[in-house]
Structure formats: C-alpha cells, structure tokens
C-alpha cells in the first residue's frame, strides 16, 4: 500500500483546531526510545548510531501515522494538546511505562501530525500486554485546561 498522496489530503483549514480528537494505531511491538543511541568505535574513531531495531520501528511508526493523518499540513505550533499512549507489549517484552512515550511523540512530529511536540502539554502513558497483537494506541486531543492541579504547600 502506497503512502496517501498530498493531493488527496484535506486542507488543514477544514479541521477545527479547537476540537481535536484523533485516535492513531501503530502496529508492531512497541520499542523504547529512551537511551537508544549507542556508541561504537570503527577504525579507531568513535561514533554514535541508532540500533537497527529502533530505526526500523521509527520508520514503520512514521509511515503508519502518515497513512492515518488525513490532512495536508501539521497541527501548527501554539495549539496546546494532550496525548494518551496505550502501549500493548508483545510476548517477552518488559519496558518501563515512562520509556514508551518518547517514540510515539517523536514519530507523530516526524509524520507531520503536529509541528512540534513541545505543544503536547500533558502525556499519559500506560503499559499493557497483548502477546498476540502488540501495538500502540494514541489518543490526541486539545489540552484540557480545567484539570485540577495538585495542591502543594511549602
């Protein structure tokens, strides 16, 4: 299946930026992006590289997200968003929940869903198991400013 041509995508002006409510699914085993860079030495010189399994996951995630995004442009900077990330780990996987957020957030930016993940003000991540169908489910919506903040007295 080829990537959706930009000529078939909707203009962003058709999207009400005050009513964001999207669900994205990235199939395949979730991969931790935390501390994924590796150092190596070749011919006496050190270098930094991304392991093949991490790069493969990133490329697949970006492709899948682009296929699901129906708009010709990214959500622009200045639109505050929140994201819920549900990572369904496959057989034999054990990854800390906090390590499962960076990959999908970065992939969404690289896929052109939003211009900058800086504007994702709240991230909720949950680790689940599904040995038969590992995947990541992402809910993207406008940031809800009416949430109660914890009261901390000092």
């Amino acid at each position: 299946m080829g990537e959706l041509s930009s000529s078939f995508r909707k203009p962003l002006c058709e999207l009400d930026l005050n009513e964001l409510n999207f669900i994205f699914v990235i199939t395949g085993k979730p991969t931790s992006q935390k501390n994924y860079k590796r150092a190596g030495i070749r011919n006496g010189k050190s270098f930094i590289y991304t392991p093949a399994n991490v790069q493969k996951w990133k490329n697949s995630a970006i492709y899948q997200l682009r296929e699901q995004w129906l708009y010709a442009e990214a959500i622009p900077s200045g639109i505050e968003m929140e994201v819920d990330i549900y990572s369904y780990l496959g057989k034999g996987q054990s990854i800390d929940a906090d390590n499962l957020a960076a990959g999908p957030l970065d992939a969404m930016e690289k896929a052109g869903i939003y211009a900058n993940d800086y504007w994702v003000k709240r991230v909720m991540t949950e680790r689940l198991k599904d040995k038969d169908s590992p995947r990541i489910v992402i809910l993207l919506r406008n940031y809800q400013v009416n949430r109660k903040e914890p009261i901390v007295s000092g």
Side-chain angles (χ1 to χ4, degrees):
M1 174 181 352
E3 193 169 309
L4 188 63
S5 168
S6 61
S7 63
F8 294 106
R9 295 187 186 276
K10 299 176 186 177
L12 194 63
C13 63
E14 290 185 15
L15 176 62
D16 183 349
L17 295 173
N18 295 311
E19 295 292 330
L20 299 178
N21 191 19
F22 293 98
I23 298 174
F24 300 97
V25 178
I26 302 170
T27 59
K29 284 186 169 184
T31 303
S32 173
Q33 304 292 300
K34 186 173 182 182
N35 301 323
Y36 69 88
K37 296 283 186 183
R38 300 286 183 256
I41 297 177
R42 184 181 299 139
N43 298 328
K45 297 188 182 206
S46 62
F47 64 96
I48 303 294
Y49 69 97
T50 300
N53 68 317
V54 174
Q55 191 59 54
K56 182 178 176 181
W57 182 90
K58 287 173 79 170
N59 291 342
S60 175
I62 292 166
Y63 176 82
Q64 291 181 59
L65 290 165
R66 281 183 182 155
E67 286 289 304
Q68 296 171 60
W69 184 242
L70 301 177
Y71 295 92
E73 304 160 60
I75 297 167
S77 294
I79 304 298
E80 295 178 337
M81 298 163 282
E82 59 185 45
V83 175
D84 294 348
I85 301 170
Y86 299 91
S87 298
Y88 294 84
L89 302 184
K91 185 176 182 176
Q93 284 192 287
S94 178
I95 304 171
D96 291 347
D98 62 323
N99 293 345
L100 291 165
L105 292 172
D106 290 344
M108 290 174 73
E109 183 175 331
K110 287 182 175 48
I113 292 170
Y114 43 68
N116 191 326
D117 64 5
Y118 170 82
W119 294 98
V120 177
K121 290 193 67 168
R122 187 186 73 80
V123 176
M124 187 288 301
T125 183
E126 185 171 346
R127 181 188 63 234
L128 305 147
K129 283 282 193 182
D130 187 342
K131 64 180 178 145
D132 297 324
S133 184
R135 66 198 178 281
I136 297 173
V137 177
I138 304 164
L139 302 159
L140 171 69
R141 59 188 170 270
N142 294 93
Y143 176 67
Q144 301 296 314
V145 293
N146 60 350
R147 293 189 189 277
K148 293 184 179 180
E149 294 182 24
I151 300 172
V152 181
S153 58

